Amino acid sequence: MKTHILFDFDGTLVDSAPAILSCFTQVLRFHGLEACCSVDDSLIGPPLRQTLESLSGQNDSALLDALSTSFKDIYDAEVCLSTPAYAGWQSVFEGLRTQGLTLVIATNKRLLPTQKIISILGWDRYFSEVFASDSHPTLYADKAGMIGAALQVFGIEPQAAIYIGDTQQDARAATANEVDFWPVAWGYGSFGNEYEPLALPSQLIERLAHPRLVKV
């Protein structure tokens, strides 16, 4: 029996790409740098510093610190608040909570902007915990560790949880913990029909009522 639903955030619950990519462009311009790769949706997902290193082509620690600080100043102060939710999630959260399920976020996004977006969307009451890239620094170093920490904190077995996400990285992190992974058909990754991705948020409730094997 499933008791806990874990969610990725960017690309799964919210469409954060436009705001994030705009900030990346502004940060590079401010520091007089050119992008070393396309500034597109493929950048969404990994931790901020890792993405800035790939995007700038720089590995100087002081410069990456400066880039990270600039990004946080721009994104956290205002830009993140324009992030829209994918349609349909609020009613799904209501339904899941009514069924007594515990909802948790496990995201590579930092805690502060995640909390700000959750708050402005009016979702505070739905989630029991947010595991972000910087929220529990002594417990994990990557998303697989993050999901493992969530199982540990809530004292549940892997079979009691599902992880909902939009990328293969999400799938691997769930599989590493023997947690069922249910992909979504939107976001920044891609899953073939054989993986039976959720076409709409509402299908999560339908699938919980009629479980099936989901390939990952």
Side-chain angles (χ1 to χ4, degrees), residues 52-123:
L52 288 170
E53 184 173 352
S54 299
L55 186 59
S56 67
Q58 306 292 320
N59 59 13
D60 178 80
S61 181
L63 177 57
L64 290 173
D65 286 345
L67 294 175
S68 296
T69 297
S70 295
F71 181 94
K72 293 172 185 177
D73 287 345
I74 297 170
Y75 186 73
D76 295 4
E78 184 175 351
V79 175
C80 71
L81 301 179
S82 65
T83 302
Y86 289 109
W89 275 121
Q90 184 137 342
S91 60
V92 170
F93 297 151
E94 293 278 3
L96 295 173
R97 289 300 300 269
T98 297
Q99 293 177 30
L101 290 159
T102 298
L103 310 185
V104 178
I105 288 175
T107 175
N108 278 331
K109 200 178 196 71
R110 291 171 298 108
L111 183 61
L112 179 59
T114 303
Q115 289 178 324
K116 284 190 169 186
I117 295 168
I118 289 171
S119 180
I120 202 167
L121 292 174
W123 289 355

